[in-house]
């Protein structure tokens, strides 16, 4: 509305003639043009029929409120979806060439010839431009056109300061300075320094600091010494030594140039100026984030000797940064020594250490710190309890969390929305929706106002673990209750639609809000990006992300994680890495979770080297792994069979103070069982119990599987019986593992007995059970029993799969011809569907039965139709060639058996021939929709 009110023409009166000459010829279109440029790439539509009868300001408002996102219809073949979306739709500076041809704001800037330089365009957001436009219109209304005209002729610091003061807003004034900044020449830098001096002299030091920080970042460390010299010479006319040096020190710190900040500190000591305690605290933070620990302790000694004396804030900053680096023990030690420097640890000091322990999974230690805090006479805050309660809820220990929750009021504290959200979330994750609803009603009884997070948790709980109609009812009640303001209600509504699977409807809702001028929050966009990613619609997820960035919203760490998850699930790991680096380059918040997602994706594709390099890169970038990252890395190494490396990482995890959970132990136990190191697996199981972790069903199943692989069936059954004593109930995997163990030991009677026990326990055999038994009887040469199991499978309504068919085909080739033909007829009647394994079975049988030339012949025929051979196929073919070349002893096979096997092979070959067009179509479709050849985008 403010934009509209400032779109005016000055009347043609003589008293205004002295100022009207400075007005641009078409200034009334500034705001409309700014609105159009703010959404370059967005199509604006207005109702032209109504526009004729309405004032000018209404036309502009219609332009602002009735745009619609428009996607380009095609991409060049060489462009990828990621580069297209990141460069075109996610760039705040993107605009078409026609729009850049002339810019109204540029008329007021020095020597720009009607266009903005790339420096100016890339340094401000669309919202900044809009506010600058409003401020310029206000300046003209206040008859300050002479200052605008003076600045347009020359980059004059006095005119620039006068205009900046008119904005009456630090952010807008700073945005105008960035637009007016000409280049990085020495003259421009000197002028900028003078602007900062003038602002400081007029008690606008924070704005002066913004300007110097930005210029320092632009010129870089190489020219920063010259800038310091510019600022120092002649500063006495405008500001004190402390003022100018403090500005320079903060500028270097904001630009993350800690060496420059340390040099300014030395200059302060040289001229006898004591730095500000807050500036020293910021310098501690910068040094710790840079990992320069030597400089940290040197600075600490300097502060103790020369001042300013350490205070609680300074200690809290140091403790916080050490804890963020993963060195919580150093943080705890600093808390203990605070009293030596006449600083008593406060609630913030304790909360930092408590939170660090919770993040490491050491919730019990965190609770000990709460008790120590109380014993030392420091009263916990509601944030203290909220942190501990949230940690126990995430661990699944909802009962202990509830006990702490109930003790809050005994401490003289009042429960708030945040602590209720933690408890409600804990109950939802435990699938106890009833208790979550009771807590919600308790909130309302105590007049504690729920927020958007509360409703998001409840709506998600109803859709995931409760009844969808309850989630719908909650959304309807919420829309008419007035409990939430518009932005929070929008977040909950979008989340509810996403949980219901109505993704496009949720996106349409967001677009409608944007058309009405109501800006949604990052939370709403995160919900829809995560939903699209989970549904495999990564192009729609990037569309939502592009829209979000376009409207000036800064993505959160959750945004980055959701986009990476969508790409990793698709298998587009290289594209996911591009997105990660792009977000880091743009300064978006990227946490260890983003690296963990990508790390896990590389392990699942077997790319161990890239995963390990990403792990090292993460630490090199100052992003330190948490318990989840360690768990993912250990699990990935175990999946690849690198058990020594996995155990080394596990030991490193313990040294850093992280507490491993069941997932970590299960990964290691499963990995050791897989490589046959059962003793190490059993040792880890015992260690797991000592740490207070109870082996779960996955743990026991893996131990049983490892014992069965080694033929130690007696011990496997003992472990099976121990499950009942531990309160665990065997599942279908447990029974199938034991049945398979008996079959491999040729103890078919034991397998049958266990099958009976399985039936008595309420478990029905699945296809895996039947396949194990069929394979067992075939291996024992009891083909008739295998056929009986096959018929039993069909009568039970279980559909045979390719494993069933391939097992029987392998058996068919080893029986007498008449019997083999009968069995083949049965398989063909059941719509036998061959695959690569079928081909391997038949090729292998050709070699075993003395027909290597047949194996080579059919192998060549299959390769001609581009059948996907695997490693086993190549080994079989190499063996066939070797037999022919070496002239090995050939087994005489009857002509009838040879023809019969040719018949089976022909059926397989014919099936591959008939399915070849569809397979090529699928491959073509996959290729066309891949990120490297994505040719079209969805048009909205």
């Amino acid at each position: 509305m403010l934009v509209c009110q400032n779109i005016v023409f000055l009347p043609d009166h003589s008293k205004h003639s002295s100022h009207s000459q400075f007005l641009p010829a078409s200034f009334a279109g500034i705001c409309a043009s700014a609105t159009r440029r703010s959404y370059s790439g967005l199509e604006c539509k207005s109702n032209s029929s109504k526009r004729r009868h309405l004032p000018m300001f209404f036309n502009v408002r219609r332009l602002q409120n009735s745009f619609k996102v428009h996607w380009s219809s095609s991409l060049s073949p060489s462009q990828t979806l990621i580069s297209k979306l990141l460069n075109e739709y996610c760039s705040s500076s993107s605009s078409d060439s026609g729009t850049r041809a002339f810019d109204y704001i540029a008329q007021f800037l020095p020597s720009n010839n009607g266009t903005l330089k790339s420096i100016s365009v890339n340094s401000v957001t669309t919202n900044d431009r809009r506010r600058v436009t409003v401020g310029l219109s206000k300046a003209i209304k206040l008859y300050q056109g002479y200052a605008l005209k003076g600045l347009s002729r020359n980059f004059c610091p006095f005119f620039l300061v006068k205009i900046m003061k008119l904005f009456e807003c630090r952010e807008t004034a700073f945005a105008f300075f960035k637009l007016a900044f000409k280049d990085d020449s020495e003259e421009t830098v000197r002028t900028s320094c003078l602007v900062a001096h003038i602002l400081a002299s007029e008690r606008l030091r924070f704005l002066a600091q913004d300007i110097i920080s930005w210029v320092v970042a632009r010129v870089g460390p190489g020219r920063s010494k010259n800038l310091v010299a510019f600022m120092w010479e002649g500063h006495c006319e405008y500001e004190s030594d402390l003022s100018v040096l403090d500005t320079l020190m903060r500028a270097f710190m904001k630009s993350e140039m800690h060496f420059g900040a340390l040099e300014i500190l030395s200059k302060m000591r040289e001229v006898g100026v004591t730095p500000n305690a807050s500036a020293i605290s910021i310098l501690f933070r910068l040094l710790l984030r840079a990992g320069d620990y030597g400089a940290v302790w040197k600075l600490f000694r300097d502060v103790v000797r020369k001042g300013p004396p350490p205070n609680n804030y300074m200690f809290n900053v140091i403790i916080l940064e050490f804890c963020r680096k993963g060195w919580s023990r150093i943080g705890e030690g600093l808390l203990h020594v605070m009293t030596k420097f006449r600083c008593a640890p406060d609630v913030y000091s304790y909360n930092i250490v408590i939170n660090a322990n919770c993040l490491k999974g050491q919730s019990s230690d965190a609770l000990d710190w709460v008790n120590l805090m109380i014993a030392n006479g420091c009263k916990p805050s509601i944030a203290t309890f909220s942190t501990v309660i949230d940690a126990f809820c995430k661990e699944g220990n909802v009962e202990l969390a509830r006990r702490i929750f109930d003790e809050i009021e005994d401490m003289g504290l009042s429960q708030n929305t945040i602590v209720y959200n933690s408890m409600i979330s804990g109950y939802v994750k435990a699938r106890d929706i009833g208790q979550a609803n009771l807590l919600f009603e308790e909130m309302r009884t105590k007049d504690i106002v729920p927020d958007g997070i509360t409703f998001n948790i409840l709506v998600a709980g109803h859709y995931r673990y409760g009844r969808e109609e309850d989630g719908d009812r909650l959304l309807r009640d919420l829309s008419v209750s007035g409990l939430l303001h518009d932005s929070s209600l929008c977040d909950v509504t979008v989340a509810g639609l996403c949980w219901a699977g109505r993704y496009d409807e949720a996106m349409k809702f967001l677009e409608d809000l944007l058309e009405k001028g109501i800006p949604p929050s990052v939370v709403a966009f995160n919900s829809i990006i995560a939903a699209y990613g989970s549904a495999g619609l990564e192009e729609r997820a990037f569309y939502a992300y592009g829209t979000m960035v376009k409207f000036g919203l800064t993505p959160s760490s959750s945004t980055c994680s959701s986009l990476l998850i969508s790409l990793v699930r698709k298998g587009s790991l290289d594209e996911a890495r591009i997105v990660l680096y792009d977000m880091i380059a743009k300064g978006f918040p990227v946490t260890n979770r983003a690296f963990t997602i990508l790390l896990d994706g590389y392990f699942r594709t077997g790319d161990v080297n890239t995963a390990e390099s990403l792990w090292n890169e993460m630490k090199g970038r100052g992003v330190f792994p948490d318990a989840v990252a360690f768990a993912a890395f250990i699990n990935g190494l175990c999946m690849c069979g690198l058990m020594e490396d996995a155990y080394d990482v596990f030991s490193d995890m313990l040294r850093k103070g992280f507490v491993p959970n069941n997932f970590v132990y299960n990964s290691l136990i499963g990995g050791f069982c897989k490589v046959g190191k059962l003793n190490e697996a059993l040792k880890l199981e015992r260690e797991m119990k000592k740490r207070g972790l109870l082996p779960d069903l996955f743990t026991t199943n893996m131990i049983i599987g490892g014992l069965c692989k080694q033929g130690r069936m007696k011990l496997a059954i003992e472990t099976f019986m121990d499950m009942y004593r531990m309160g665990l109930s065997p599942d279908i995997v447990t029974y199938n593992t034991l049945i398979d163990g008996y079959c491999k030991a040729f103890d078919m009677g034991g397998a049958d007995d266990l099958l009976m026990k399985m039936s008595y326990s309420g478990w029905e055999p699945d296809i895996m059970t039947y396949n194990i038994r069929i394979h067992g009887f075939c291996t024992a040469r009891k083909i008739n029993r295998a056929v009986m199991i096959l018929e039993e499978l069909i009568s039970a309504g279980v559909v045979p799969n390719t494993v069933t068919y391939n097992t029987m085909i392998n058996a068919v080739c080893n029986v007498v011809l008449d019997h083999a033909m009968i069995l083949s007829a049965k398989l063909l009647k059941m719509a036998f569907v061959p695959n690569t394994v079928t081909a391997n079975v038949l090729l292998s049988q050709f070699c075993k039965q003395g027909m290597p030339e047949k194996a080579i012949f059919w192998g060549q025929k299959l390769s001609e139709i581009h059948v996907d051979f695997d490693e086993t196929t190549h080994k079989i073919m190499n063996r066939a060639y070797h037999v022919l070349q070496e002239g090995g002893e050939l087994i005489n096979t009857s002509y009838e058996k040879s023809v019969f096997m040719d018949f089976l092979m022909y059926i397989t070959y014919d099936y591959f021939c008939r399915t070849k067009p569809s397979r090529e179509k699928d491959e073509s479709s996959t290729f066309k929709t891949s990120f490297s050849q994505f040719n079209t985008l969805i048009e909205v």
Side-chain angles (χ1 to χ4, degrees):
M1 193 64 183
L2 186 59
V3 175
C4 306
Q5 291 174 348
N6 285 287
I7 300 178
V8 294
F9 288 103
L10 289 178
D12 188 15
H13 295 308
S14 58
K15 63 181 180 179
H16 295 142
S17 60
S18 61
H19 301 293
S20 61
Q21 60 180 316
F22 302 121
L23 288 172
S26 56
F27 185 73
I30 288 179
C31 294
S33 175
T35 304
R36 285 191 295 269
R37 277 189 46 77
S38 298
Y39 307 108
S40 57
L42 303 179
E43 182 182 10
C44 300
K45 299 181 181 179
S46 62
N47 192 330
S48 58
S49 61
K50 294 182 180 179
R51 185 171 56 198
R52 299 191 202 97
H53 309 291
L54 296 172
M56 173 63 75
F57 70 85
F58 187 82
N59 292 339
V60 177
R61 188 176 183 186
R62 286 290 300 166
L63 282 169
Q64 183 181 359
N65 292 341
S66 61
F67 60 84
K68 191 173 185 183
V69 179
H70 180 75
W71 282 61
S72 174
S73 60
S74 64
L75 291 172
S76 64
S78 62
Q79 286 179 301
T80 66
L81 175 63
I82 297 302
S83 61
K84 180 69 176 176
L85 289 174
L86 294 180
N87 295 333
E88 182 174 348
Y89 292 100
C90 304
S91 174
S92 60
S93 63
S94 64
S95 59
D96 56 43
S97 58
T99 308
R100 282 197 179 181
F102 183 78
D103 191 289
Y104 287 104
I105 297 178
Q107 298 176 89
F108 307 104
L109 305 179
S111 304
N112 271 328
N113 300 322
T115 59
L116 286 176
K117 295 183 179 296
S118 60
I119 293 176
S120 305
V121 174
N122 294 329
S123 58
V124 296
T125 66
T126 54
N127 287 333
D128 289 334
R129 290 173 54 82
R130 193 180 303 113
R131 287 195 294 265
V132 168
T133 301
V134 174
L136 290 174
S137 66
K138 184 177 179 181
I140 294 175
K141 287 181 69 175
L142 295 174
Y143 311 124
Q144 299 296 321
Y146 71 92
L148 291 171
K149 187 168 184 177
L151 180 65
S152 67
R153 291 174 175 172
N154 186 27
F155 189 51
C156 173
F158 299 100
F159 280 132
L160 182 57
V161 170
K162 186 172 185 63
I163 296 168
M164 290 170 69
K165 289 171 65 179
L166 292 173
F167 288 112
E168 298 179 354
C169 172
R170 174 182 165 189
E171 291 77 13
T172 309
F174 182 43
F176 183 76
F177 170 81
K178 290 188 285 187
L179 288 168
F181 191 83
K182 293 172 60 179
D183 48 43
D184 296 338
S185 66
E186 183 174 325
E187 179 186 356
T188 303
V189 173
R190 279 183 176 272
T191 305
S192 301
C193 292
L194 185 54
V195 169
H197 282 319
I198 298 170
L199 289 170
S201 68
E202 300 192 16
R203 297 184 179 180
L204 295 171
R205 281 188 58 202
F206 292 123
L207 182 55
Q209 289 170 9
D210 290 338
I211 288 171
I212 296 303
S213 299
W214 191 73
V215 176
V216 166
R218 285 208 58 80
V219 301
R223 295 175 57 193
S224 59
K225 290 185 178 180
N226 293 335
L227 184 142
V228 171
F230 296 157
M231 285 291 290
W232 184 253
E233 64 184 26
H235 74 277
C236 298
E237 299 179 17
Y238 302 96
E239 53 184 326
S240 65
D241 291 352
L242 175 61
S243 176
V244 67
L245 291 174
D246 185 65
T247 296
L248 285 168
M249 184 175 178
R250 292 177 187 274
F252 280 113
M253 291 189 295
K254 193 171 183 179
S255 304
E256 298 186 357
M257 301 180 187
H258 61 277
F259 292 114
L262 289 171
E263 288 178 4
I264 298 298
L265 178 62
S266 298
K267 182 73 173 178
M268 284 182 166
R269 300 299 190 195
E270 181 184 323
V271 299
V273 172
T274 302
N276 190 290
S278 65
I280 293 294
S281 300
I282 297 171
L283 184 55
F284 271 121
R285 180 185 294 120
L286 180 61
L287 292 171
L288 282 164
R289 289 183 179 178
D292 194 347
Y293 302 112
V296 169
W297 299 121
K298 184 178 178 181
L299 176 62
F300 187 80
R301 289 192 296 269
D302 181 68
V303 167
V304 170
R305 289 198 307 266
K306 301 177 182 179
N311 56 21
N312 274 42
Y313 180 75
M314 198 180 295
F315 269 108
N316 289 344
V317 166
I318 301 172
I319 293 170
L320 175 62
E321 292 305 323
F322 270 117
C323 289
R324 282 180 173 172
K325 288 286 189 179
W327 303 103
S328 58
R329 292 289 176 261
I330 297 177
E332 292 169 3
L334 283 168
L335 186 145
H336 286 303
V337 302
M338 284 177 69
T339 53
K340 294 183 178 180
F341 298 93
R342 299 180 182 179
C343 297
D346 56 19
V347 65
Y348 301 105
S349 313
Y350 283 107
N351 282 352
I352 292 168
V353 173
I354 289 167
N355 183 61
N357 279 277
C358 289
L359 290 175
K360 282 189 170 185
Q362 300 169 341
S363 304
S364 299
D365 291 344
L367 194 56
D368 292 339
W369 274 100
V370 175
N371 294 327
L372 178 64
M373 177 184 186
I374 297 169
N376 289 341
C378 183
K379 183 179 178 180
S381 66
I382 190 64
T384 314
F385 287 106
S386 178
T387 303
V388 176
I389 288 170
D390 185 62
F392 280 116
C393 285
K394 285 178 178 176
E395 290 180 2
N397 196 344
V398 185
E399 292 182 5
L400 180 55
R402 184 57 188 263
R403 287 202 298 271
I404 299 170
F405 176 83
D406 292 335
E407 291 172 1
I408 290 176
E409 292 184 347
D410 297 337
M411 295 293 299
L413 298 170
S414 298
Q415 294 153 332
N416 62 6
T417 305
I418 296 173
V419 74
Y420 266 101
N421 287 347
S422 297
M423 273 310 311
I424 291 173
S425 177
Y427 279 122
V428 167
K429 288 175 182 176
R431 305 192 179 190
D432 193 345
I433 305 299
Q435 282 293 331
N437 286 329
L438 287 175
L439 271 180
F440 175 63
E441 294 301 326
E442 183 181 307
M443 281 183 76
R444 302 183 68 174
T445 304
K446 293 182 176 181
D447 292 328
I448 297 174
V449 181
D451 60 7
I453 296 174
T454 317
F455 288 103
N456 271 339
I457 294 168
L458 286 170
V459 170
H462 284 304
Y463 279 114
R464 293 185 71 177
Y465 308 124
R467 300 186 305 172
E468 288 190 13
E469 52 267 30
D470 290 339
D472 293 335
R473 176 184 51 77
L474 186 61
L475 286 174
R476 285 194 302 270
D477 294 345
L478 184 59
S479 62
V480 297
S481 64
L483 288 173
L484 295 176
H485 53 78
D486 290 344
S487 61
S488 295
L489 181 59
C490 159
D491 297 343
V492 176
T493 303
V494 170
L497 290 170
C498 290
W499 280 115
R502 293 144 64 181
Y503 314 129
D504 291 335
E505 192 175 337
M507 192 65 209
K508 180 67 168 57
F509 176 74
L510 283 182
E511 290 174 345
D512 289 344
L513 287 179
L514 292 169
E515 289 185 4
K516 294 174 183 176
I518 303 172
S521 70
V522 176
V523 176
F525 276 104
N526 282 349
S527 296
I528 199 163
I529 289 170
Y532 275 135
S534 298
L537 302 170
E538 70 284 344
E539 66 276 7
R540 296 292 292 163
F542 273 93
Y543 166 60
Y545 168 64
T547 306
M548 170 186 178
V549 175
K550 206 68 173 180
F551 282 91
L553 291 173
T554 301
S556 66
S557 57
S558 297
T559 317
C560 177
S561 299
S562 297
L563 290 172
L564 293 179
I565 288 172
S566 67
L567 292 171
V568 169
R569 282 180 175 171
K570 192 81 174 180
S572 306
L573 295 172
D574 292 337
E575 285 82 357
R577 201 163 185 175
I578 291 171
V579 171
L580 178 65
Y581 291 154
D582 183 80
M583 288 192 163
I584 292 172
K586 289 179 177 175
F588 294 156
V590 175
T591 63
N592 49 32
R593 186 180 177 219
F595 282 94
T596 304
I597 291 166
L598 197 53
L599 182 86
D600 185 64
Y602 279 115
F603 271 124
R604 292 186 185 279
T605 59
D607 192 349
V608 182
N609 292 333
T610 306
E612 290 181 331
S613 69
L614 195 67
W615 175 263
N616 296 326
E617 180 185 339
M618 176 171 67
K619 293 187 287 187
R621 288 181 179 272
V623 181
F624 288 87
D626 57 4
V628 178
F630 269 107
F633 194 46
I634 291 168
N635 182 60
L637 292 170
C638 291
M639 286 193 299
C640 298
L642 302 172
M643 295 311 302
E644 290 185 7
D645 293 340
Y647 195 81
D648 288 342
V649 176
F650 174 69
S651 301
D652 186 38
M653 178 182 183
L654 295 177
R655 281 194 299 271
K656 290 187 181 296
F658 291 106
V659 178
N661 57 12
N662 277 43
F663 179 81
V664 175
Y665 276 106
N666 285 346
S667 299
L668 289 165
I669 290 170
F672 279 122
C673 288
K674 190 187 296 184
V675 298
K677 295 184 177 181
L678 190 58
N679 290 335
E680 283 80 356
L682 294 171
K683 180 182 176 182
L684 279 169
E685 186 195 27
R686 291 191 294 271
E687 180 186 318
M688 184 180 180
K689 292 176 181 177
K690 288 180 182 178
R691 289 184 177 273
L693 295 173
L694 294 177
D696 55 23
L697 188 59
F698 298 102
T699 319
T700 311
N701 282 345
M702 287 185 292
I703 294 293
I704 290 174
L707 292 168
C708 289
K709 281 183 180 178
Q710 294 190 0
R712 298 160 69 176
M713 293 306 300
K714 184 177 179 181
L715 190 54
I717 290 296
E718 289 177 3
T719 307
F720 171 73
M721 300 306 296
D722 285 340
M723 291 179 70
Y724 294 98
R725 288 192 286 271
M726 292 189 296
L728 298 174
S729 298
D731 63 357
I732 190 69
V733 176
T734 317
Y735 286 108
N736 285 343
T737 304
L738 286 167
I739 291 170
D740 185 52
Y742 277 120
C743 289
K744 287 178 177 176
F746 299 104
D747 187 355
M748 304 309 296
D752 290 339
D753 292 340
L754 196 62
L755 184 66
M756 294 290 292
K757 185 175 181 60
M758 171 181 164
S759 180
Y760 291 148
S761 299
W763 289 99
E764 294 297 328
D766 62 1
I767 186 62
M768 181 71 73
T769 317
Y770 284 111
N771 285 342
I772 290 169
R773 297 185 70 207
I774 289 171
H775 183 269
F777 282 118
C778 288
T779 306
R781 304 280 181 156
K782 297 181 179 179
I783 307 301
N784 290 336
R785 287 295 305 275
V787 173
M788 290 173 62
I789 300 297
L790 179 63
E791 292 173 347
E792 180 185 330
L793 176 155
I794 296 168
S795 62
V798 179
V799 179
N801 59 15
T802 52
V803 176
T804 319
Y805 294 128
N806 291 334
T807 304
M808 291 302 300
I809 283 289
N810 191 50
V812 161
C813 295
N814 291 308
V815 298
V816 295
L817 185 59
D818 292 343
H819 198 179
M821 294 180 67
I822 295 171
L823 288 178
S824 300
K826 285 181 178 290
L827 294 176
L828 292 173
K829 193 175 180 180
M830 289 187 290
F832 162 54
V833 178
N835 61 3
T836 305
V837 177
T838 316
N840 289 345
V841 168
L842 292 170
L843 291 173
S844 177
Q845 286 293 337
F846 276 124
C847 292
K848 288 179 181 178
Q849 300 196 26
M851 295 179 282
E853 72 285 352
K854 293 273 188 180
I856 293 170
F857 171 78
W858 284 112
Q860 290 174 344
K861 295 292 289 183
L862 291 172
S863 65
E864 289 172 5
I865 58 174
H866 305 293
V867 174
D868 294 327
F869 287 165
D870 57 16
E871 187 178 350
T872 303
T873 319
H874 293 296
K875 287 182 178 179
I876 294 169
M877 297 302 296
N878 288 335
R879 190 174 69 193
Y881 278 115
H882 179 74
V883 170
L884 282 179
Q885 289 174 354
E886 295 295 326
E889 183 179 353
L890 300 180
I891 303 171
N892 291 325
T893 305
S894 66
Y895 172 75
E896 292 81 4
K897 190 64 175 287
S898 174
V899 172
F900 172 70
M901 291 187 61
D902 278 334
F903 168 71
L904 294 178
M905 196 72 229
Y906 177 77
I907 293 173
T908 305
Y909 173 79
D910 181 64
Y911 174 80
F912 285 134
C913 287
R914 285 185 286 107
T915 58
K916 178 183 176 183
S918 63
R919 285 187 290 114
E920 287 183 348
K921 183 178 179 181
D922 290 341
E923 291 171 2
S924 176
S925 175
T926 302
F927 177 75
K928 288 179 181 177
T929 57
S930 67
F931 284 97
S932 59
Q933 296 292 330
F934 202 93
N935 291 322
T936 58
L937 294 172
I938 296 176
E939 182 172 329
V940 180

